Amino acid sequence: MNRNNEDYRAPPIPALTKDLLEDVKKIFKTTTGTPFLIPTTGTGAWESALTNTLSPGDRIVSFLIGQFSLLWIDQQKRLRFNVDVVESEWGQGANLEILAEKIAADRAHTIKAVCIVHNETATGVTNNLAAVRRILDEYRHPALYLVDGVSSICALDFRMDEWGVDVALTGSQKALSLPTGMGIVCASPKALEASKSAQSVRFFFDWNDYLKFYKLGTFWPYTPSVQLLHGMRAALDIIFEEGLDHVIERHSRLGKATRLAVEAWGLKNCTQREEWFSDTVTAVVVPPYIDSTEIVKRAWKRYNLSLGLGLNKVAGKVFRIGHLGHLNDLQLLGCLAGVEMVLKDVGYPVKMGSGVAAASSYLQNTIPLIPSRI
Ligand code: PLP
């Protein structure tokens, strides 16, 4: 990525973009979707998904389970959609029983979209996307299915085509481990069709402008970050070399190892049920006499370790261990050792080495040989 700007209209950049657009579909597990690589962040990708497919006043069902779903709902309301919020306690997943009731009752098809955050990064909760599709199919409901995959796509099992997702999105800084700055949005044929009649005001995010330039073979309606495109090429190559399924398995191992460490420390996972455990982030609940913000501050100041803060409702109550992206098993063990030292610093009676031992015993039994070194 460390290179000078290049003319994005000169032939190498369209050629690079063409291959990226083809290859990025693989991380969404789609052959029929149309991807957009937008100079923005996850928040802009949300806006792109909503404004291209919906009109002001449209009724949408949206699940509130943590800070990021809360922010997406805030955006949905400010964009003037009629948001039917289904709220769960933070630490729980989306309430799909209520979704089933709403879908079953909606014979007139007033619900135009169901919006869900696949992995709620604030609480470490992963929602069951296949189950949402089953509910829509059971009632033959035509609502669009919009998924925030910011902290899941390319790390957790995600199948756009199989699960009938209409718009899926992520950001460059998460599982691709790139700098922030690219929103990656993928639209199903049904979503593209919806974009033809969607009345929401949009300019920067208008898929139609992208599609015009796709047809011309120049790809960009405005200037892309050429550096990020080269970065994305490298990120995808690294992922494909490991194999997407192996990447997903690695995240599953890292998630499990982290949870074993948390258990060994005698602490609780914020996520209330195993079915929702996230393999990309673990939110750890601290005892009431400890402020989790102190843990995060101290980890950074003393051990150069970046933990995640507790956000909003869980501020001070949880800290988060991210295990997403270009991260290997030994790096995670280093992080877990760091957490143990911080826990000791703030007066939690942790048995040093307990979490690392639980995690490393599990990893030692499960780490595969490195394919290129067999
Ligand atoms: N959605 C989820 C699940 C996130 O975790 C985040 C950010 O962490 C966002 C959306 C917002 O993304 P961004 O900060 O890139 O705008």
Side-chain angles (χ1 to χ4, degrees):
M1 291 186 60
N2 190 9
R3 50 172 83 209
N4 289 332
N5 252 345
E6 293 160 77
D7 174 5
Y8 74 100
R9 295 290 183 212
I13 301 304
L16 171 67
T17 309
K18 186 167 187 268
D19 289 347
L20 287 177
L21 289 171
E22 211 36 55
D23 281 346
V24 81
K25 288 198 233 170
K26 296 177 190 156
I27 67 168
F28 287 84
K29 293 216 170 127
T30 182
T31 53
T32 56
T34 301
F36 302 97
L37 309 176
I38 308 168
T40 185
T41 70
T43 305
W46 279 342
E47 193 157 329
S48 160
L50 297 168
T51 57
N52 278 285
T53 55
L54 297 163
S55 303
D58 277 355
R59 179 180 175 205
I60 60 182
V61 174
S62 210
F63 300 95
L64 200 179
I65 64 165
Q67 181 62 10
F68 293 100
S69 41
L70 175 82
L71 289 171
W72 198 15
I73 287 168
D74 182 22
Q75 184 187 74
Q76 289 155 9
K77 289 183 174 165
R78 289 201 235 169
L79 290 169
R80 307 259 182 274
F81 304 118
N82 171 12
V83 192
D84 195 339
V85 178
V86 179
E87 190 167 358
S88 301
E89 204 183 301
W90 290 31
Q92 294 188 359
N95 189 331
L96 300 186
E97 280 165 26
I98 303 230
L99 175 70
E101 280 168 24
K102 286 184 189 288
I103 294 292
D106 185 35
R107 296 216 176 79
H109 296 163
T110 60
I111 299 170
K112 298 300 175 204
V114 173
C115 298
I116 190 165
V117 174
H118 186 192
N119 187 78
E120 175 49 78
T121 321
T123 54
V125 164
T126 303
N127 284 310
N128 186 340
L129 297 185
V132 172
R133 171 43 64 199
R134 277 197 295 276
I135 292 168
L136 291 171
D137 285 353
E138 190 180 339
Y139 297 98
R140 294 176 189 229
H141 198 289
L144 290 165
Y145 185 12
L146 311 188
V147 176
D148 167 335
V150 171
S151 57
S152 74
I153 288 170
C154 206
L156 304 183
D157 185 22
F158 180 81
R159 310 175 196 186
M160 180 162 176
D161 285 358
E162 192 178 321
W163 295 338
V165 172
D166 291 302
V167 188
L169 59 96
T170 187
S172 50
Q173 78 273 25
K174 290 290 199 293
L176 289 167
S177 295
L178 287 168
T180 312
M182 191 195 287
I184 306 153
V185 178
C186 204
S188 73
K190 184 171 155 189
L192 284 187
E193 198 51 41
S195 74
K196 292 180 187 157
S197 55
Q199 294 299 308
S200 294
V201 173
R202 56 193 185 274
F203 180 88
F204 187 79
F205 292 119
D206 201 330
W207 294 344
N208 214 21
D209 293 328
Y210 276 83
L211 294 173
K212 257 192 271 173
F213 284 90
Y214 285 6
K215 271 206 190 114
L216 291 172
T218 47
F219 294 101
W220 295 101
Y222 37 68
T223 316
S225 159
V226 164
Q227 289 78 4
L228 266 175
L229 297 181
H230 285 293
M232 188 175 201
R233 183 66 269 158
L236 291 176
D237 288 345
I238 291 168
I239 284 155
F240 297 151
E241 186 187 341
E242 185 179 355
L244 183 58
D245 290 338
H246 290 132
V247 170
I248 293 165
E249 271 166 36
R250 173 166 51 80
H251 282 87
S252 148
R253 225 169 45 235
L254 298 178
K256 171 90 178 163
T258 307
R259 292 190 290 275
L260 286 169
V262 172
E263 207 181 303
W265 295 328
L267 292 173
K268 268 203 171 138
N269 195 320
C270 172
T271 313
Q272 293 180 14
R273 271 198 238 144
E274 200 175 330
E275 62 177 293
W276 297 315
F277 282 161
S278 165
D279 287 332
T280 57
V281 57
T282 300
V284 185
V285 181
V286 298
Y289 62 88
I290 292 173
D291 177 356
S292 67
T293 309
E294 269 315 301
I295 292 181
V296 177
K297 268 195 204 156
R298 199 159 178 98
W300 186 75
K301 279 190 194 166
R302 188 157 191 219
Y303 303 104
N304 194 26
L305 171 64
S306 283
L307 298 172
L309 284 164
L311 301 172
N312 197 338
K313 272 195 190 177
V314 288
K317 296 179 185 161
V318 311
F319 67 90
R320 292 173 298 145
I321 302 173
H323 28 90
L324 165 77
H326 195 250
L327 176 79
N328 68 30
D329 308 76
L330 301 190
Q331 287 170 312
L332 178 74
L333 289 174
C335 162
L336 297 176
V339 173
E340 289 182 357
M341 291 192 279
V342 189
L343 287 172
K344 193 102 187 166
D345 285 353
V346 298
Y348 179 73
V350 64
K351 182 165 176 277
M352 297 301 274
S354 58
V356 172
S360 61
S361 303
Y362 164 73
L363 291 173
Q364 194 261 326
N365 281 312
T366 50
I367 297 179
L369 290 173
I370 300 166
S372 60
R373 298 186 188 171
I374 294 171

